[in-house]
Amino acid sequence: MVRVVVTGVGPLAGVGIGAEPFAAALKAGRHAIAPIESFDPVGFPHRMAGELRGFEPEQWVRHLSPQEWGPASLFAAAAARLAVDDAGIDPQALRSSRAGSVIGTTSGESQVVERAMKLWVDQGPRQLPAARIALTPSYRMAVAVNRELGLTGEAVTLATACSASNYAIGYAYDLIRNGEADYMLAGGADAMCRFAVAGFYRLGALTEQACSPFDANRSGILIGEGGAAMFLESYDSARARGARVYAEVLGYGLTCDASHMVSPDAGSIAACMRRAHRNAGIKPAEVDYISAHGTGTPSNDTMEGRAIREVFGDTPPPVSSIKSMLGHTMGAASCFGAIASVLGIAQGFIPPTINHTEIDPELAGFDVVPNRARAAELRIVQNNGFAFGGNNAITIFGRPQ
């Protein structure tokens, strides 16, 4: 069976753009949380978020015309470009091979839709340019990646919300493992929008100042934005071209709670972990670190903790959440976690959970890597991703042997 490896990463985040700036930010425990600038937040009780400040698409994409694409599509294309550049592959070899992309999202081009609807309401439908409506379909996100890179393989956009980019990694892994593709870009993207901030506030899931996953006094998420992508290929391909390998994709697991739309189910999450372990051919005791979904809401962290305890026992491996630094980047979140995982394997560190003061008593015995990154030899890492609708997706990465 074909082995699948990660040879390029493309993080486009508020804490850093590109592999090394992103890794440095995680090691330093830096965060991207600041007052919202993407829209006028007057009237919003909570106004902090993890925005991607100063993003100029012309600096990161070479073939797309930014005026013809929405921000989420541009985030996806820029992240994919970063991942390809990081992989060091000949662009012509990529264009002439069986290569494609799978991009996950929560809200698609929601920012474009919001602005179009405002124009409709303020000036009437006749004043709404057709070109603006053409930017709205979510499927364009993967198409943007293929157009930017000249790929003629699959261009799939998955809308399984906040676990979507883990779904994307699993989909891409299967294509390469089964011999249906030579190279794949997998990841996710979402842009800041009023709808997400308002919606999470109305759900009671939005905190005011800082996201504090697993803390006894945690009170919710902060919205983030950005794009994240990984370049996947076979181990034999990477070895033949002398590529640097960050990590091997060992497998993944998927489940759906099929119960509550927004309340996670610990049993279903535990089942997802077991499926991922079986698919990867590993045992829980072999996992050295868990990159948690870790949103900072009381419900999510409690259910995730219960599932971890059910599978790993009372002394699980270290568990940390980079959402404390990035905010919740929605469809990009799982891939950011995956990038943190493979960087941790390659560079020997565990990212911290910042803003931590006191562990939730229900999570007693958990090592959440509080506030400071830690040097560690990581052989196998589990990357958790959960979403509204009960869409659970977990990816497993290992040090290449």
Side-chain angles (χ1 to χ4, degrees), residues 166-193:
N166 257 356
Y167 274 84
I169 293 167
Y171 188 104
Y173 163 80
D174 278 343
L175 289 178
I176 295 173
R177 191 164 184 258
N178 295 330
E180 298 176 45
D182 300 316
Y183 310 106
M184 289 296 296
L185 276 300
D190 267 294
M192 184 67 59
C193 65

Side-chain angles (χ1 to χ4, degrees), residues 214 218 264 269 293-305 386-387:
F214 310 118
R218 66 188 182 277
I269 292 171
H293 189 60
T295 62
T297 65
S299 176
N300 176 90
D301 293 3
T302 297
M303 293 301 106
E304 186 170 13
F386 315 129

Side-chain angles (χ1 to χ4, degrees), residues 102-108 138-139 141 156-171 187-190 200 252-257 261 272 293 323 328-335 384-395:
V102 193
I103 301 299
T105 189
T106 293
S107 302
S138 296
Y139 75 82
M141 294 175 65
V156 178
T157 302
L158 300 175
T160 45
C162 303
S163 58
S165 46
N166 257 356
Y167 274 84
I169 293 167
Y171 188 104
D190 267 294
F200 278 97
Y252 67 95
L254 308 174
T255 62
C256 180
D257 296 350
M261 192 63 192
C272 190
H293 189 60
K323 288 183 180 66
H328 194 335
T329 53
M330 304 296 149
S334 300
C335 192
N384 291 351
F386 315 129
F388 282 178
N391 290 309
N392 306 313
I394 292 172
T395 46

Side-chain angles (χ1 to χ4, degrees), residues 107-159:
S107 302
E109 291 294 3
S110 54
Q111 194 176 104
V112 176
V113 173
E114 285 183 346
R115 291 173 179 171
M117 291 306 98
K118 185 177 189 305
L119 185 60
W120 184 315
V121 170
D122 290 348
Q123 301 183 26
R126 293 184 181 278
Q127 301 304 313
L128 189 58
R132 184 166 297 188
I133 294 299
L135 304 183
T136 61
S138 296
Y139 75 82
R140 285 168 51 90
M141 294 175 65
V143 172
V145 171
N146 279 31
R147 286 273 296 275
E148 169 64 17
L149 298 170
L151 311 182
T152 56
E154 293 193 43
V156 178
T157 302
L158 300 175

